[in-house]
Amino acid sequence: MTRKIFRSIVLVAASVLIVGMAILFCVLYSYFGTVEERELQDAVQLAATAVEKDGDTYLKALSDTRYRLTLIAADGSVLYDTATGAADMENHRERTEVKEALETGTGKSVRYSDTLLEKTIYVARRLKDGTVLRMSVAQNSVGVILLGMLQPFLVVLLCALILSAVLANRLSKRIVGPLNALDLEHPLKNETYEELAPLLVRIDRQRKEIDAQVTALRQKQDEFTQITQNMAEGLVLLDSKQKVVSINPAAKRIFEVDATAGESFLCVDRSHSMRAAIADALLAGHSEIFCEYGGRQYRVNVSRIESDGVMLGAVVLVFDVTEQMRAEQSRREFTGNVSHELKTPLQGIIGSAELIASGMVKEEDLPRFVGHIRKEATRLLSLIEDILRLSQLDEGKEMPREDVDLFAVAREVKTDLAAAAAAKNVTLSVSGGETVLHGVRRLLYEILFNLCDNAIKYNKDGGTVAVTVGAKGGICTLQVKDTGIGIPPEEQSRVFERFYRVDKSRSKAYGGTGLGLSIVKHAVQYHGGSIVLKSVPDEGTTVTVTFPQ
């Protein structure tokens, strides 16, 4: 802006100088021309008076001057000329100034030379005897005068340009100085030109609007960042060229990459199915596929991003559906297992009842069939009760809690299982001391009962089951250790699944429903505890349960 003002000032100064000098030259040229013409008229009047008195003697007595005098007869012939012999001159009657003088008494004309470098002014006056006295003077034309003034004119112009450049430089800096010193962060606090006041008011208003918009955008960006950073789902934003715009930590963890913005999505996932899903989404608007990463199952949703009908890119959302698929698989297995487990005792009951009803059972065999029906009905009832208890735990309904002494519960379980332990020739012992836990007594009893019941059922003849209860450092510990048949290593991770049996034939022979350890697992989780199982085949099993006290 400083340069522009500088150039403008210099250009204006030069233009004004040139135009001013041209006008001044024209005015002076016209003025001095008029003055000289008047002087010429006065001179011809004086000369005419002298000629009328002395005749051509006066003319001959004149020495060379810048003025030329010519005496012309009434018929136009030249009687005398101060510059040239009269005999050599042509007739002047048709000359404009002579003609006017003969008619009106005075005449005037201006004639230019062939080269236009000089002009001649003629003034004529009629004398009393009818002759005409003409006086002329030569003047340089405008071009010649300008040519002669060119050098001083250029010197003056150069000096004026230098002076105007110096002044323009200082003036431009002085003009721009307040503009450069404007505080746009506080527009209304500036002391500058009044003409800028409306602009500064508008800048202040727009600055406030921009600040509000920037603050809102920053808040939205922070919200978006915090949401995406803490999302369990993977999120990847792509532009129209399938380059990464944003990728959250969950997506980096799922895809096992460290991609950053600007990289191609091929750096994240090169699979054909993913590329096809993105291409389908860009064309159709949405697509969905299932993939496996790191041994887990994921559902990938790809959606096209548009604005005003223009495709901007796509968003890739990755959901971990491993547990969901496992739960669905467990549900199907549970449904099948429940159907099978319920069907088996019912078939036994129906079969025995049909035999009794048809009269095919002998009188002495009737107690045996009735006992079988009672046994299967009892097993069916136990199975239904276990299913209902598991359903209640799955629903997560709050149950009444109280301070429960685990040691007292363990002694109660020992009493209840004394007959079963004696029948298997297994020694059941309880050690420890008072261990109070705030929980649901019935569920804590189920945990101890099922663990001890399994330890007795799958023990060896003459084996032992040791129950230890204690608390330390705010942690309640419950341990059930037996000397039974043990569990193979490959089966240990599944024993807490519903209806899972290590040895199905033996488990059914012992009357188990396959839900005991599953109830134990859910009851422990309900109390915020954890369970650890260690087992060695043919040596025994140790189950340790810990609760936060």
Side-chain angles (χ1 to χ4, degrees):
M1 186 173 179
T2 304
R3 292 182 180 179
K4 189 173 182 180
I5 294 176
F6 174 80
R7 288 195 298 266
S8 299
I9 294 176
V10 172
L11 181 61
V12 169
S15 301
V16 170
L17 177 64
I18 293 172
V19 173
M21 293 185 69
I23 294 174
L24 179 62
F25 174 79
C26 292
V27 171
L28 292 177
Y29 183 81
S30 176
Y31 172 75
F32 286 113
T34 302
V35 169
E36 189 167 22
E37 184 179 335
R38 289 176 182 175
E39 290 178 351
L40 185 61
Q41 288 178 352
D42 294 340
V44 76
Q45 184 177 357
L46 294 174
T49 302
V51 171
E52 286 178 346
K53 182 179 180 181
D54 299 329
D56 58 358
T57 304
Y58 171 76
L59 297 175
K60 292 177 181 179
L62 292 174
S63 59
D64 292 336
T65 63
R66 58 187 294 264
Y67 295 104
R68 179 183 180 183
L69 280 80
T70 305
L71 184 61
I72 304 169
D75 59 359
S77 59
V78 179
L79 299 175
Y80 185 81
D81 187 83
T82 58
T84 309
D88 298 331
M89 299 181 68
E90 60 183 7
N91 191 286
H92 282 41
R93 182 172 179 79
E94 296 302 324
R95 299 291 175 92
T96 302
E97 69 278 4
V98 176
K99 193 173 182 181
E100 289 181 359
L102 290 173
E103 293 177 357
T104 63
T106 59
K108 181 184 72 171
S109 69
V110 178
R111 286 192 287 277
Y112 291 89
S113 66
D114 294 337
T115 61
L116 297 178
L117 295 177
E118 189 178 66
K119 73 174 183 178
T120 305
I121 301 175
Y122 295 92
V123 176
R125 192 176 185 86
R126 188 180 63 196
L127 303 180
K128 292 179 180 180
D129 58 1
T131 60
V132 175
L133 179 62
R134 188 185 69 176
M135 182 178 287
S136 64
V137 64
Q139 286 185 345
N140 290 328
S141 63
V142 175
V144 174
I145 296 174
L146 286 177
L147 188 61
M149 294 178 61
L150 181 61
Q151 183 175 356
F153 175 78
L154 291 177
V155 173
V156 172
L157 180 62
L158 180 61
C159 293
L161 288 177
I162 294 174
L163 179 60
S164 62
V166 174
L167 296 177
N169 182 50
R170 296 182 61 183
L171 185 60
S172 60
K173 290 181 179 179
R174 187 174 180 181
I175 293 174
V176 177
L179 299 179
N180 292 333
L182 286 176
D183 182 7
L184 296 181
E185 291 297 325
H186 307 89
L188 301 183
K189 295 183 179 180
N190 291 287
E191 295 182 3
T192 183
Y193 308 115
E194 295 180 0
E195 293 79 4
L196 293 178
L199 176 62
L200 294 176
V201 171
R202 186 170 183 179
I203 290 175
D204 182 68
R205 184 169 60 251
Q206 291 183 344
R207 186 189 64 79
K208 291 179 179 178
E209 294 177 358
I210 292 173
D211 288 346
Q213 292 174 356
V214 169
T215 301
L217 289 174
R218 187 179 294 111
Q219 289 177 350
K220 291 182 179 179
Q221 179 65 31
D222 291 341
E223 291 173 0
F224 175 78
T225 301
Q226 291 178 11
I227 291 173
T228 56
Q229 292 293 321
N230 297 316
M231 282 176 58
E233 297 79 15
L235 173 66
V236 184
L237 295 179
L238 306 177
D239 61 13
S240 58
K241 297 181 180 180
Q242 297 187 24
K243 291 187 176 181
V244 177
V245 176
S246 177
I247 180 170
N248 70 341
K252 294 182 180 180
R253 174 179 51 79
I254 293 171
F255 292 110
E256 297 180 351
V257 296
D258 193 21
T260 58
E263 295 184 359
S264 172
F265 189 71
L266 292 175
C267 298
V268 178
D269 191 309
R270 295 178 176 270
S271 64
H272 174 73
S273 58
M274 183 65 76
R275 294 201 303 272
I278 294 175
D280 292 343
L282 294 178
L283 292 175
H286 180 77
S287 64
E288 181 177 289
I289 60 171
F290 287 87
C291 300
E292 180 178 344
Y293 300 102
R296 299 186 68 83
Q297 299 294 325
Y298 294 91
R299 185 178 79 248
V300 181
N301 288 337
V302 186
S303 299
R304 182 175 60 200
I305 302 175
E306 294 182 355
S307 178
D308 296 330
V310 178
M311 193 273 291
L312 301 179
V315 55
V316 181
L317 280 172
V318 186
F319 300 90
D320 189 344
V321 294
T322 305
E323 299 303 328
Q324 179 181 342
M325 297 183 72
R326 287 178 181 175
E328 182 65 21
Q329 180 65 26
S330 298
R331 185 190 63 80
R332 289 194 296 267
E333 292 179 357
F334 179 73
T335 302
N337 289 332
V338 166
S339 301
H340 177 74
E341 294 293 339
L342 291 177
K343 182 178 179 181
T344 300
L346 284 175
Q347 285 178 338
I349 293 172
I350 293 172
S352 298
E354 287 179 349
L355 289 174
I356 294 173
S358 64
M360 297 179 63
V361 179
K362 297 179 181 181
E363 188 70 25
E364 62 272 15
D365 294 331
L366 187 59
R368 182 167 60 86
F369 278 88
V370 172
H372 178 70
I373 291 174
R374 181 182 295 124
K375 177 183 177 183
E376 293 298 329
T378 302
R379 180 183 172 206
L380 182 61
L381 181 61
S382 298
L383 184 60
I384 293 173
E385 288 177 348
D386 288 346
I387 292 173
L388 291 175
R389 193 170 295 111
L390 273 176
S391 177
Q392 188 179 18
L393 290 171
D394 286 338
E395 291 176 0
K397 291 182 179 180
E398 190 63 29
M399 303 180 191
R401 293 174 178 257
E402 58 182 310
D403 289 336
V404 181
D405 183 2
L406 289 180
F407 185 70
V409 174
R411 293 177 66 84
E412 182 181 348
V413 170
K414 177 183 177 181
T415 302
D416 295 341
L417 291 176
K424 287 284 294 182
N425 193 23
V426 172
T427 301
L428 177 59
S429 63
V430 176
S431 62
E434 181 181 355
T435 304
V436 179
L437 174 67
H438 190 71
V440 181
R441 181 181 178 82
R442 181 167 60 84
L443 294 182
L444 296 173
Y445 177 86
E446 289 285 344
I447 294 172
L448 278 162
F449 185 88
N450 281 298
L451 291 177
C452 293
D453 186 45
N454 280 349
I456 293 171
K457 286 179 181 178
Y458 302 103
N459 215 316
K460 301 175 181 177
D461 186 41
T464 60
V465 175
V467 180
T468 305
V469 180
K472 185 178 181 180
I475 301 297
C476 295
T477 304
L478 169 65
Q479 186 180 82
V480 178
K481 183 177 182 180
D482 65 60
T483 57
I485 61 176
I487 304 171
E490 65 274 11
E491 306 283 351
Q492 292 178 14
S493 61
R494 302 193 61 189
V495 294
F496 293 101
E497 296 179 9
R498 299 175 185 184
F499 294 110
Y500 186 81
R501 296 185 177 92
V502 177
D503 187 339
K504 295 179 175 55
S505 60
R506 179 179 295 182
S507 297
K508 289 186 177 181
Y510 292 149
T513 63
L515 296 175
L517 290 181
S518 183
I519 293 174
V520 169
K521 172 187 170 183
H522 284 73
V524 171
Q525 291 176 347
Y526 183 85
H527 287 85
S530 61
I531 185 169
V532 177
L533 182 145
K534 294 182 180 180
S535 182
V536 178
D538 294 327
E539 292 185 9
T541 301
T542 302
V543 179
T544 304
V545 181
T546 57
F547 301 101
Q549 193 174 17

